[in-house]
Amino acid sequence: MQDWLKVAMPKGRIYKQASALFREAGFFVPEEEDDSRKLRIDVPEAGMQFIMAKPVDVPTYVEYGVADIGIVGKDVLLEENKDVYELLDLGIGRCRMSVIGLPDWQPAIHPRVATKYPNIASKYFRERGQQVEVIKLNGSIELAPLIGLADRIVDMVETGKTLQENGLIEMEEMFGITSRLIANRVSYRMKSESIQALCDRLQSLTTDCKLR
Ligand code: PRP
């Protein structure tokens, strides 16, 4: 079991696509993480153990080596800035990071930006020479401009449905997001054969994935 590959899988919105990709590559991970509360799933025939993690924690598990590899969105990678290798763009979990506001937005004297991504937001506005106060929230970010906590938000947009339902508009698209395969630096050397083999199998599928 020591040479098993430990894989940190993101619970939640990406799980369905991530697990489907692994199954296409021939690794039989469960279809829906919600079917079970199990947080570790062994797949002995593949020599793998899947760790069901909160997406934002995936880079931490991989950096500390308790997971050899992991799947995580580029948004989380940029925000968390952990010491891991980024091996592959998996082409799944496609969305974008945007600056969002009300349609009648006017520049504020003391601009405030609410976000789950304080590092990304601070860097973005700093690089543009704009002074803003960044307020960290943990969810339902769209509330902030509606109730006057902030005049804009930085958040991810996938279908645009949340914005539409709350009367908000995308003011600037910051960058595109997809899920990435990441690896622990030591594991990448010690388990290079199995990581490379997995990488090759996933890579051969990513061209199709880009069409999803
Ligand atoms: C994310 C994001 C937006 C929404 C965008 O929230 O923060 O609110 O999804 O998706 P859409 O463009 O398809 O509507 P999430 O569902 O992760 O929940 P949260 O509000 O608790 O962060």
Side-chain angles (χ1 to χ4, degrees):
M1 198 159 164
Q2 215 176 350
D3 11 306
W4 281 24
L5 212 51
K6 283 181 253 125
V7 187
M9 294 289 278
K11 298 203 297 177
R13 68 163 65 217
I14 308 172
Y15 185 84
K16 207 173 173 184
Q17 292 176 66
S19 60
L21 188 62
F22 267 86
R23 280 194 303 279
E24 268 180 65
F27 305 108
F28 295 96
V29 282
E31 275 186 33
E32 287 292 339
E33 121 253 9
D34 296 334
D35 289 352
S36 145
R37 308 293 277 180
K38 251 183 137 174
L39 296 174
R40 286 192 304 180
I41 295 170
D42 293 343
V43 184
E45 58 278 18
M48 284 185 178
Q49 183 180 69
F50 290 90
I51 298 160
M52 305 299 162
K54 205 173 152 75
V56 69
D57 293 331
V58 166
T60 305
Y61 294 132
V62 173
E63 183 182 48
Y64 279 88
V66 291
D68 299 306
I69 57 172
I71 293 184
V72 65
K74 186 68 181 177
D75 54 330
V76 173
L77 269 187
L78 289 172
E79 179 64 25
E80 297 297 315
N81 200 22
K82 300 287 185 190
D83 187 20
V84 295
Y85 284 134
E86 187 181 321
L87 300 181
L88 196 60
D89 181 348
L90 296 169
I92 57 172
R94 208 168 274 277
C95 54
R96 55 196 183 270
M97 189 69 72
S98 294
V99 181
I100 292 155
L102 286 161
D104 60 356
W105 178 83
Q106 297 285 331
I109 298 172
H110 300 293
R112 291 197 303 222
V113 174
T115 186
K116 268 192 285 196
Y117 304 92
N119 292 327
I120 290 174
S122 300
K123 183 166 180 274
Y124 183 80
F125 289 106
R126 196 172 52 242
E127 284 174 356
R128 278 155 190 78
Q130 296 179 37
Q131 275 206 335
V132 303
E133 181 185 348
V134 173
I135 301 172
K136 163 87 195 283
L137 292 176
N138 294 298
S140 304
I141 314 298
E142 291 79 4
L143 265 178
L146 302 180
I147 60 176
L149 176 65
D151 57 302
R152 283 165 295 171
I153 62 174
V154 163
D155 203 8
M156 56 171 250
V157 180
E158 190 180 1
T159 60
K161 197 160 175 260
T162 312
L163 297 188
Q164 204 182 8
E165 288 189 359
N166 290 289
L168 295 164
I169 56 158
E170 249 178 304
M171 302 165 72
E172 292 156 44
E173 191 176 320
M174 296 162 68
F175 54 87
I177 299 168
T178 47
S179 299
R180 311 296 163 107
L181 184 71
I182 58 170
N184 171 269
R185 290 183 181 273
V186 176
S187 302
Y188 189 67
R189 284 203 311 272
M190 306 298 282
K191 300 184 180 178
S192 60
E193 224 170 274
S194 49
I195 292 178
Q196 199 51 55
L198 174 69
C199 221
D200 291 347
R201 282 165 90 165
L202 291 174
Q203 191 157 30
S204 66
L205 297 169
T206 50
T207 326
D208 299 338
C209 293
K210 291 208 169 85
L211 302 173
R212 280 181 199 151

